Structures are given as C-alpha cells and as structure tokens.
Amino acid sequence: MKPLAALALAVLLAAGGREPLAPPAPAGDWRWKLPTGVAPPPVPADNPMSLAKFELGRRLFYDKRLSGNGGVSCASCHQQRLAFSDGVALSVGATGERTLRNAQPLANVAWRKSYTWANYSLTTLERQMDGPLFRTDPVEMGINDGNRQAVLARLTADPLYRREFARVFPGEARPLTLANIVKAVASFERGIVSFDSRYDRHQAGTARLSAAELRGLSLFRSERGQCFRCHGSADFDEQMAGQGRGLPFRNIGLYDIDGDGGYPFPNRGALELSGRPADMGRFRSPGLRNVALTAPYMHDGSVATLEEAVRVHAEHGRGDGRRNRWKDPLIDRIRLTPAEQADIVAFLKTLTDETLTVDPRLADPFAAVPEAGR
Ligand code: HEC
Ligand code: HEC
C-alpha cells in the first residue's frame, strides 16, 4: 500500500470506521521455563507477560515496516541463528549508517539490570527501545516526527495488527500506538530465554562434557582464571538478578590512545554518561551464553575470534591498553598458559544453545510468506 493510502485508511479507522471487536486475548497465561536456581526475571507492572503479547511482539520484532523507510527490522541486527546478534563488528541501520558499537545478543536479556554496553541509566527494555527506534546519531530504525504517522499507518493497514492490538490491549480506543508497540516487543524480548546448552545439560546430569571442557570449566571458576569474578552469574555476566548490588562496569585494557588511559571517542564506556575520569573504558561484562555464535567480540567488535578474546584477558589487555591506568586490577591477576586458554575456549563453546537458534516460537513469522511485510 502507498503511504498516502495507508494514511487515509488510518484516518478513516481513527474516525470511527470500527471493525467488529475481537475478544480480549487471555492474560496471565505466560509460564517461565527455567532451570532450578534461576528465578523469573522482573517484569514491569504495567507490561505483564502474555502469550498473545509475546506473539504480537515477535511479529513486530521481525517487521521492517517498523522502521522509517521500511529498510530494517530489529531482527536485521539481532538474528536468531546468531543468538540474536549479527556477526559484524558494527551494524548497518536503515539509512546505511553504522552503529557505534557491536550489536548485543538478546538471549536472557530480561535479566539484565542495565541495557547496552555502558549506559547504566537504561534499566528497562521498554526504555532501551527508544534507542533503536528513534536514535538519530547514528540512525538505526529511523523513526522520527516526520515519518512517525506514516509508520503507524503502515502497520494499521495490516488487518492482523488491527485485530491483535485490539485483543492484546483491550479497552483502548486506539491500541495501535508506539507505546504499545514498545510493550509488545519488550514482551517478546523477555521471552527469549536460553538455558539449554550442553553446559546446562551437564549441570542437569543429562549430558557429559569432554575432559578439556571440564578443565576449562574449572579454570573459568578458579583464581588463576578469574573469569567468574566478572562473568559469574547464571548468564555468565555480572548483572543477573541476585548477584550483588550496583552495576559494575570494567576496563579490561583494550586501548590507551593518549598514555593517560584514553579510549577512542565515542566509545569511552560509562564515562560517556557519567563524565567521571575513572569510568574511562569501563563497559559491561557481557554474558557469555552462546558466545561461540556472537563473534566478533568486545564493545566495538574489534576482536575477531573467541581464542583472541580469551588471550586478550590472559595477556592482561591488548597492545598499549595493557598499560591503561584505569584497567581493572582483576585482569592482571589472570594466570593462564596457552593450553589452559584453549581449555577455556573449549568450555565456552559448550555454552551454545542450539535449541534457541531454531526455536520456532522465536523464529521469523514472515519467513513462510516472503511477500508480506518484510
Ligand atoms: C542497526 C542495527 C540495530 C537494530 C536495527 C536494532 N538494534 Fe538493538 N542493538 C544494536 C547495537 C549496536 C546494540 C548495542 C548498543 C550500544 O551498546 O550502544 C544493540 C543493543 C540492544 C539491546 C541491549 C542488549 C543488552 O544486553 O543490553 C537490546 C535490548 C536491543 N538492542 C533490542 C533491539 C530492539 C527491540 C530493536 C528493534 C526495535 C533493535 N534492537 C534494533 C543494533 C541494532
Ligand atoms: C575484570 C572483569 C573481567 C574478568 C576477570 C574477565 N572478563 Fe571477560 N570481559 C569483561 C569485560 C568488561 C568485557 C567487555 C570489554 C569491552 O568490550 O571493552 C569482557 C569480554 C569478554 C569476552 C567477549 C564477549 C563478547 O560478547 O564480546 C569474552 C569471550 C570474555 N570476556 C571471556 C572471559 C574469560 C574466559 C575470562 C577469564 C579468563 C574473563 N573474560 C575474565 C570483564 C572481565
């Protein structure tokens, strides 16, 4: 449909061209499937989970119509087969601009206490979404005041969306709003749960790890490895609920461009927001689930392989960054031989959840009908 025709239709519907009311979708029918020891994630009181909302959010997540020029969807940069990352150092947005940082994988994203690499003020998925939807520097999805109505009209033109928004947000005069789009997509994201790797099966006693993988696991948890200090939660980050307070961000010594600990602008970590010198180069310790699928690594994708990512830690940083004055002292405590680093890499590869990458509940709903939407 041409934008103008879509707009006309939206106006018509808004003006009272009502369709028969769909019955409200069941609420409260969402069940978390989690291993013992993992508590359900926090869910905002004003955006409870439901199967219908999750399903609506999935559709929107994969829908390129949810971008200013119809060029990208969330899934362009968060692909299921790559554990919802995208395999490139920096991603390309709707208008061809590159993102500043590496696209993060989204499995278990519901448990994070803050979102993105170093923005400690973004504490809900709903708020995080303002970034991809509206950011201008650089553009990701490219929705702005000029095209916002056209984007909404484009989605309103789809009878499936008209029906589902009415069902999922019953009682609202105009349920198809950006605010409700955000709620639905956030619900989908919360439902991207990954606890079915070989490591998990080993923990549950239903799979065996090799000798090298087991050595890697115990090195990971050891004083010589130090990995558990920053990647020690059930999600192998240090953010999952229940793991202490506060939001630690860490400098692991990747850069020192000025001899004073400087990281390259605008990737100076938590300092970009706080302005505090000690926050220079401090980024969130990423979760390591599915890490074999999420190359390249680090906040700027500057490390190509898993082997190199582990080596950078074991060598106490990279190049000049090894002397970075803001480097976290834990990094210098790491003592790993090359053979031990190889064992850790073997262990990290057991964190791949193949069920996640093919789960039909998380898959592209447009894949079967390529002409629709995307
Ligand atoms: C053009 C590529 C691109 C698109 C499109 C995109 N993202 Fe992202 N996403 C990124 C990048 C890059 C980051 C890391 C941002 C940063 O640290 O500054 C990210 C980070 C995130 C995070 C934070 C994850 C974490 O662990 O903290 C979430 C959540 C997220 N994106 C969800 C979405 C959703 C939902 C959409 C669609 C509305 C979307 N993204 C569209 C590239 C993209
Ligand atoms: C002091 C905290 C700390 C310790 C200890 C630590 N890491 Fe990290 N790790 C980080 C931070 C922070 C990053 C991201 C750095 C950046 O992008 O600037 C990271 C990144 C990684 C990455 C890249 C992941 C990705 O998605 O980009 C891997 C793999 C990794 N660490 C594995 C390990 C292993 C294995 C060990 C133990 C040998 C270890 N880490 C010890 C804090 C730590």
Side-chain angles (χ1 to χ4, degrees):
M1 188 179 301
K2 294 272 178 334
L4 263 181
L7 192 64
L9 179 61
V11 170
L12 189 81
L13 288 169
R18 295 259 183 276
E19 296 174 40
L21 273 184
D29 57 357
W30 181 263
R31 299 286 172 271
W32 297 100
K33 286 196 210 79
L34 304 172
T36 39
V38 176
V43 175
D46 66 350
N47 192 20
M49 297 292 288
S50 77
L51 285 172
K53 200 194 288 177
F54 167 87
E55 184 57 30
L56 175 60
R58 167 167 80 132
R59 208 172 177 81
L60 292 161
F61 185 90
Y62 282 97
D63 198 334
K64 290 187 175 173
R65 289 173 293 184
L66 181 59
S67 61
N69 62 10
V72 299
S73 67
C74 307
S76 306
C77 303
H78 299 286
Q79 302 168 16
Q80 183 183 19
R81 67 185 180 87
L82 298 175
F84 297 93
S85 68
D86 67 353
V88 293
L90 304 175
S91 324
V92 182
T95 58
E97 288 183 282
R98 293 249 170 212
T99 57
L100 303 175
R101 284 170 286 277
N102 186 242
Q104 293 161 308
L106 300 184
N108 300 348
V109 77
W111 281 271
R112 310 263 186 272
K113 288 181 183 159
S114 74
Y115 292 99
T116 72
W117 279 99
N119 188 338
Y120 50 84
S121 77
L122 280 181
T123 56
T124 66
L125 285 167
E126 285 79 0
R127 283 230 18 244
Q128 188 279 331
M129 225 175 300
D130 285 349
L133 291 177
F134 308 120
R135 190 197 307 283
T136 55
D137 181 25
V139 167
E140 289 184 25
M141 319 272 292
I143 300 181
N144 55 42
D145 286 343
N147 61 29
R148 178 188 302 248
Q149 289 312 322
V151 169
L152 286 173
R154 218 187 276 153
L155 299 174
T156 304
D158 186 330
L160 190 147
Y161 280 132
R162 290 204 299 277
R163 188 189 71 220
E164 286 308 305
F165 275 93
R167 266 164 43 82
V168 171
F169 302 100
E172 297 187 23
R174 264 181 244 173
L176 209 166
T177 59
L178 275 166
N180 285 344
I181 288 171
V182 163
K183 285 184 172 177
V185 174
S187 296
F188 172 67
E189 292 182 276
R190 290 194 174 95
I192 307 177
V193 172
S194 174
F195 292 103
D196 195 26
S197 64
R198 275 183 56 237
Y199 162 78
D200 295 295
R201 293 179 188 189
H202 166 261
Q203 295 296 96
T206 58
R208 291 182 57 171
L209 299 187
S210 73
E213 291 162 348
L214 286 172
R215 285 195 304 271
L217 170 57
S218 65
L219 285 164
F220 189 92
R221 292 173 173 164
S222 73
E223 289 300 320
R224 310 231 343 264
Q226 292 288 332
C227 318
F228 71 103
R229 301 238 182 242
C230 307
H231 302 280
S233 78
D235 209 26
F236 299 89
D237 65 359
E238 50 183 335
Q239 287 226 330
M240 201 169 208
Q243 224 219 353
R245 292 211 206 133
L247 294 173
F249 293 85
R250 317 268 197 175
N251 177 323
I252 66 166
L254 295 180
Y255 297 96
D256 188 351
I257 56 172
D258 55 5
D260 194 29
Y263 268 46
F265 177 84
N267 283 340
R268 298 172 304 171
L271 174 141
E272 299 291 357
L273 193 64
S274 73
R276 285 179 35 201
D279 284 340
M280 177 64 85
R282 289 175 66 199
F283 291 88
R284 200 178 77 192
S285 306
L288 299 181
R289 284 185 173 273
N290 303 297
V291 72
L293 302 176
T294 65
Y297 302 105
M298 307 301 172
H299 65 273
D300 55 359
S302 61
V303 166
T305 65
L306 206 44
E307 286 75 11
E308 192 187 339
V310 175
R311 191 167 65 240
V312 163
H313 290 72
E315 293 180 349
H316 305 158
R318 177 178 68 188
D320 294 341
R322 302 180 69 209
R323 289 193 307 270
N324 192 302
R325 59 185 290 217
W326 306 114
K327 182 172 63 170
D328 196 294
L330 291 174
I331 295 296
D332 289 344
R333 286 207 224 156
I334 298 173
R335 297 275 174 274
L336 295 171
T337 65
E340 290 171 328
Q341 294 171 39
D343 288 342
I344 289 189
V345 170
F347 160 65
L348 292 176
K349 289 182 179 167
T350 71
L351 298 177
T352 302
D353 180 348
E354 263 113 31
T355 317
L356 172 87
T357 60
V358 295
D359 187 345
R361 291 167 54 257
L362 305 173
D364 181 354
F366 298 102
V369 272
E371 70 280 11
R374 318 197 319 136

